[in-house]
Amino acid sequence: MDFTPTEEQAAARDLAGEIFGDLSTPERLAAAGTGPDAELWKALCAAGLPGAVEDVGLLGLVLLLEEQGRVTAQVPFAASCVYGLLAVAAHGTQEQRGRLLPGLRDGTAVATGAFPARGGLAVSVEGTLTGVVPWVPWLRDATEVLVAVRDPAPRGGHSLWRVRVADADTGPVELTAPWAAGRLVLDGAPGERIGGQGAYDDVLATARTAFAGLQAGVCAGSLARAVAHTNEREQFGRPLAAKQGVQLRAADAHMDTEAIRVTAYEAAWRRDAALPYGTHALTAAWWASEAGKRVVHAGQHLHGGMGADLDHPVHRHFLWGRQLDAYLGCGSEVLEEMGDLIARNAQSVQDVQSAQSAHNAPSAQEETA
């Protein structure tokens, strides 16, 4: 494994960090309220960053999302890249890629995803979708939504369908974090299938890896604010950072942040290298959930009474961290899914070994001879 960014990945990360740092300031975020930052999204698209994700891969996207998370920038960058650009590039037909990718690259089309599948939506033989998804992040900003549809038994599993938001009924939903979410209601809405068997599992694993990278940035930003505060704030003539308890709490938060980062890097690197990464994506998601909430709680606590101020910038990191903790499966759900996946993989290996043993065993005629 080599997580060293390529020249293209490093350049894209640095450019993203500059744009996010310049435009996503605490003052602008406070003025935006729960709405998206249209000017920031326009600047990112003008710089070609959404389209660059095709070239820098999932590891490059994780690096970009770390920069977004540091400042909790309110744009649908992760959702549109994962559920739109990467999903269509990996699983779309040649015709779909030629038709859909240009708009996703330049930002004129914005995608989001009704993930993970909760109950599944019904699909008719004519390709229309019916069902309700209680909340979908960034739905109010999206032009299209990737929907997971439960396949009929006995095959089971899920398939992916693209639906235009204009063909659905939507209503605003407020989440912990200001992600411009909405309620998705489909009543015979026309849908377009994206990919075949296994596409849903791959996109979900990609999403978990990407949002783990976003969580790493959120945690890094929270910890940076806590470090700056405890170095400036004095108590009894000494900085708070000089106290051993503060140092230990910050050190634990740093180690948790690094664990989120390195597991997200590994899962992303494996996907880019075309290696199996399902369990690695679940590992990154587990760390993002369990360690992520520890870090953002520590960030607030290290601010003392100021951490309880809802208008303080660190509180935004807390809200994002808790939203990412539960999004795409909380820690216990992810752990259960990981156990099931490991058990299925082990059974598959055992079945292959049994088949090979039966094939290599001598026949009764050979034993008699």
Side-chain angles (χ1 to χ4, degrees), residues 120-137:
L121 299 174
V123 56
S124 73
V125 292
E126 293 85 11
T128 58
L129 303 177
T130 301
V132 177
V133 182
W135 66 273
V136 178

Side-chain angles (χ1 to χ4, degrees), residues 8-75:
E8 292 79 8
Q9 289 171 338
R13 177 199 60 198
D14 294 344
L15 178 58
E18 181 179 342
I19 295 174
F20 283 128
D22 288 345
L23 295 182
S24 191
T25 61
E27 294 76 20
R28 283 176 55 86
L29 289 169
T34 60
D37 191 332
E39 182 180 346
L40 175 57
W41 179 247
K42 183 178 179 180
L44 293 170
C45 295
L49 287 175
V53 171
E54 284 184 281
D55 298 321
V56 300
L58 183 55
L59 180 55
L61 176 58
V62 166
L63 295 172
L64 299 179
L65 293 178
E66 277 192 82
E67 299 305 318
Q68 179 185 0
R70 290 181 200 277
V71 293
T72 60
Q74 290 178 197
V75 286

